[in-house]
Amino acid sequence: MDRRNFLKKSCTACLSLTVISSMVSSCISTKYVTGKVGQNGIAIDKDDFKIRQKGGTAYSSFVIVRNEILKYPICIYRINDNEYTALWMRCTHQGAELQASGDVLQCSAHGSEFNSKGQVRNGPANIALRTFPVTVTNNEIFIDLRKQS
Ligand code: FES
């Protein structure tokens, strides 16, 4: 095999791997939960983050709480087993509902992006997302809807 053919085949293999990995990651579906509504907020289970996988347990980096009591969904990011963030999925630019894509919340209206802590990554939005306090007790993750920042 000459140099030209080697480079051609190598590039084809790299492109194929890139396309396949992006197809696989796009097939991982977003998990929605309704949670249990209480007097002061909504509770979900830590197990809501578990992903069935051969050879062990894996965890989704986020789940989305959709409930009729909420005007917008809340995205819960799992930082580690005892640390979570709860983000109001309303764009701070003009109020469109955000879409979760991995560790980024994106706005399809004008392209703003926010990180998993709600901070602006790309404008035109220039204000961080509203967040809710989260407490973790045993297997329960409680999102306090009384307070927000
Ligand atoms: S409403 Fe989200 S970027 Fe404009």
Side-chain angles (χ1 to χ4, degrees):
M1 180 183 306
D2 64 10
R3 186 171 187 261
R4 177 178 228 156
N5 279 338
F6 174 75
L7 289 173
K8 190 175 175 182
K9 287 188 178 189
S10 296
C11 288
T12 304
C14 285
L15 280 173
S16 300
L17 282 174
T18 304
V19 169
I20 289 169
S21 69
S22 67
M23 287 171 65
V24 168
S25 66
S26 68
C27 288
I28 297 171
S29 61
T30 300
K31 186 166 187 179
Y32 294 92
V33 297
T34 55
K36 290 173 264 171
V37 178
Q39 189 177 5
N40 300 322
I42 292 183
I44 65 172
D45 281 352
K46 279 184 179 178
D47 291 347
D48 290 332
F49 287 84
K50 280 187 180 173
I51 300 169
R52 285 187 205 141
Q53 208 175 46
K54 283 183 182 172
T57 304
Y59 295 91
S60 175
S61 62
F62 68 92
V63 299
I64 294 176
V65 180
R66 271 194 190 278
N67 192 298
E68 61 188 20
I69 70 158
L70 299 170
K71 193 170 178 186
Y72 289 87
I74 296 174
C75 188
I76 314 294
Y77 278 103
R78 181 183 189 272
I79 311 299
N80 59 50
D81 196 43
N82 290 308
E83 194 179 349
Y84 299 82
T85 57
L87 307 175
W88 190 235
M89 293 179 74
R90 179 186 186 276
C91 183
T92 54
H93 178 231
Q94 290 183 357
E97 185 173 314
L98 300 172
Q99 305 297 314
S101 176
D103 288 341
V104 178
L105 291 171
Q106 298 172 320
C107 182
S108 58
H110 311 104
S112 289
E113 291 185 346
F114 303 86
N115 69 15
S116 60
K117 298 200 172 175
Q119 296 157 337
V120 177
R121 254 178 58 150
N122 286 313
N126 57 11
I127 298 170
L129 297 178
R130 290 162 79 179
T131 62
F132 300 93
V134 177
T135 51
V136 180
T137 310
N138 299 323
N139 200 41
E140 183 182 271
I141 299 163
F142 180 73
I143 302 125
D144 191 335
L145 298 177
R146 294 172 300 173
K147 305 171 195 161
Q148 49 192 276
S149 55

